[in-house]
Amino acid sequence: MKGVSALFAPDMPAPATPTRMPIAVYTLGAAVFALGTSEFMLSGLLPEIARDMDVSIPQAGLLISAFAIGMVVGAPLLAVATLRLPRRTTLIALISVFGLGQVAGALAPSYEILFASRVISALACAGFWAVGAAVAIAMVDLGQRARAMAVMIGGLSVANVLGVPAGAFLGEHLGWRSAFWAVGVSSAIALVGVITLIPRIPLPEQKPQLRRELAIYKDRAVWLQIALIALAAGGVFCAFSYLAPLLTDVAGLGSGWVPWVLGLFGVGALIGTAVGGRIADAHLFGVMFSGIAASTVFLGAFALFADSAVAAVALSFLLGFSAFYTAPALNARMFNVAGAAPTLAGATTTAAFNLGNTGGPWLGGTVIDAGFGFRSPAWAGAAMTVTALGTAYAALRVQRARSGASRKVTGHLVESSADVAVEQARS
């Protein structure tokens, strides 16, 4: 029990009086709602897009892959490209380009143009995430980082609860293009919010230098955090990406249940984000270990009890909760280990999550194609989260080693100062 209580010991002193979260952080969360809706809504629009564009559903599915790859590549590239630009101006430009990408998608006369619009939108989305996260961190105290990240991630959770089902509804009744128009309108509203509510964030007196920013990648703690994020996210989305066939073919639910269960996953994600964001600032490693361990248990339970409709529905909610309960801590930890380059830290976090969101579904599809059935992605996802737990343990050991070394140096300096004081007193 001593080890467990040590994990939940405060990682940093809590502020004496908690300060209110700036309205600008909530503005960024609202913008993320539009970004997240666009990122995930295509899963409910693929048949209509394939039919209208005269392509196969797998070809239409490449639009999802294009967006994910654009996020992985675009986050660090745009972080570097905009390093010396004013943060507020960069956010305005990126949300504008993202909105124009939605308009281009809504008007696209061909599959190729739609594909290009998704890539452009993904690049702008990745850049906004990276810069927006750095801006949110800059506007709050050290002890509020996870809460600020929880607000931004909350926008993504609300997108899963409301935006994605709304996009599917619009696509079914007004055509898939209407969903793109709706996200375009949401982007315009977010643009107004950014212009009016985001303050000017002054650049540091010492101008950012690319070489110094890239130096964070020499730190093994950064690479451990990248691996931890990718494995934790990938494990959940390995199973979540194939939740629909698991519900219908294994649990025996009708296809009409699928949107509701997906929405229930989103509700769990929203609650998990709120709870994790409240706890994570004081207990980063405690939240990471407990959340990833819970996801591992829920994934294993999914594989074992998926033939029970009640169990499958309940576990969908619980998996959404555990995955997003962990997310604020995963984000905040990256800013802690890569604090010397906050914009690149945000970009690296975005890329790591999308590596998981790309690699997890790929692994899930691979085990299904190998003939292991629709339960197998849950087992594969659990294997990824177990590996994530091992990575978290390695990260904790690095953290403790550095804390121990820091205490030794501090103690040596104190002892040296005391010796000097004694000598001065004697003389």
Side-chain angles (χ1 to χ4, degrees):
M1 291 301 292
K2 184 178 179 181
V4 174
S5 60
L7 283 178
F8 281 93
D11 293 328
M12 62 183 66
T17 53
T19 55
R20 184 176 296 178
M21 191 64 55
I23 187 66
V25 176
Y26 290 101
T27 303
L28 292 170
V32 169
F33 169 79
L35 304 180
T37 300
S38 178
E39 181 176 2
F40 296 117
M41 71 179 182
L42 258 65
S43 59
L45 301 174
L46 290 184
E48 292 85 356
I49 292 174
R51 189 164 50 249
D52 187 39
M53 291 294 180
D54 195 25
V55 296
S56 66
I57 287 182
Q59 279 181 290
L62 291 176
L63 296 169
I64 299 175
S65 301
F67 199 99
I69 293 171
M71 290 283 286
V72 172
V73 175
L77 282 181
L78 282 167
V80 169
T82 62
L83 201 56
R84 298 191 178 187
L85 297 179
R87 304 292 84 188
R88 180 172 174 273
T89 302
T90 302
L91 289 174
I92 291 171
L94 290 170
I95 195 66
S96 299
V97 172
F98 176 81
L100 291 173
Q102 305 310 300
V103 173
L107 297 173
S110 67
Y111 173 81
E112 290 75 18
I113 293 178
L114 179 58
F115 190 95
S117 76
R118 294 301 288 169
V119 173
I120 293 170
S121 296
L123 293 173
C125 179
F128 190 96
W129 257 108
V131 177
V135 168
I137 291 296
M139 289 189 293
V140 300
D141 297 330
L142 182 64
Q144 290 184 301
R145 285 181 168 182
R147 280 186 62 199
M149 288 295 94
V151 171
M152 289 192 67
I153 298 166
L156 192 62
S157 301
V158 175
N160 277 292
V161 175
L162 298 177
V164 174
F169 178 84
L170 288 172
E172 183 178 353
H173 293 88
L174 299 175
W176 65 268
R177 295 177 189 272
S178 65
F180 278 78
W181 283 116
V183 177
V185 172
S186 297
S187 304
I189 295 171
L191 172 61
V192 173
V194 171
I195 292 172
T196 57
L197 297 174
I198 301 294
R200 295 184 183 275
I201 305 294
L203 289 172
E205 293 181 4
Q206 187 177 12
K207 289 186 177 180
Q209 295 180 359
L210 181 58
R211 182 180 298 178
R212 188 170 62 245
E213 295 273 324
L214 292 175
I216 64 170
Y217 294 123
K218 295 179 181 179
D219 188 349
R220 60 176 173 168
V222 171
W223 286 105
L224 282 170
Q225 193 62 21
I226 291 171
L228 176 56
I229 291 171
L231 287 165
V236 172
F237 280 90
C238 180
F240 177 76
S241 299
Y242 301 95
L243 186 58
L246 185 144
L247 292 172
T248 56
D249 292 24
V250 181
L253 290 170
S255 58
W257 279 89
V258 173
W260 295 101
V261 177
L262 293 176
L264 191 61
F265 176 93
V267 171
L270 186 59
I271 298 172
T273 301
V275 175
R278 288 283 178 180
I279 303 172
D281 279 311
H283 310 285
L284 279 180
F285 276 100
V287 169
M288 287 191 290
F289 273 104
S290 59
I292 297 171
S295 292
T296 303
V297 171
F298 297 149
L299 287 165
F302 240 131
L304 290 171
F305 306 115
D307 53 352
S308 166
V310 174
V313 171
L315 287 166
S316 296
F317 169 82
L318 292 172
L319 190 60
F321 178 91
S322 64
F324 282 78
Y325 163 82
T326 316
L330 293 172
N331 275 272
R333 171 67 181 162
M334 180 65 82
F335 281 96
N336 287 353
V337 297
T343 304
L344 207 52
T348 303
T349 304
T350 301
F353 271 108
N354 280 278
L355 277 174
N357 294 348
T358 304
W362 171 82
L363 177 60
T366 299
V367 293
I368 290 173
D369 288 341
F372 292 107
F374 289 123
R375 296 174 189 256
S376 59
W379 286 122
M384 292 184 75
T385 53
V386 166
T387 308
L389 285 172
T391 307
Y393 178 70
L396 179 60
R397 292 197 60 174
V398 169
Q399 170 76 10
R400 286 177 172 171
R402 290 181 178 180
S403 297
S406 177
R407 282 195 295 270
K408 285 181 181 179
V409 170
T410 303
H412 176 71
L413 289 175
V414 171
E415 289 174 4
S416 299
S417 298
D419 291 342
V420 170
V422 169
E423 291 297 325
Q424 288 177 343
R426 286 176 178 174
S427 61

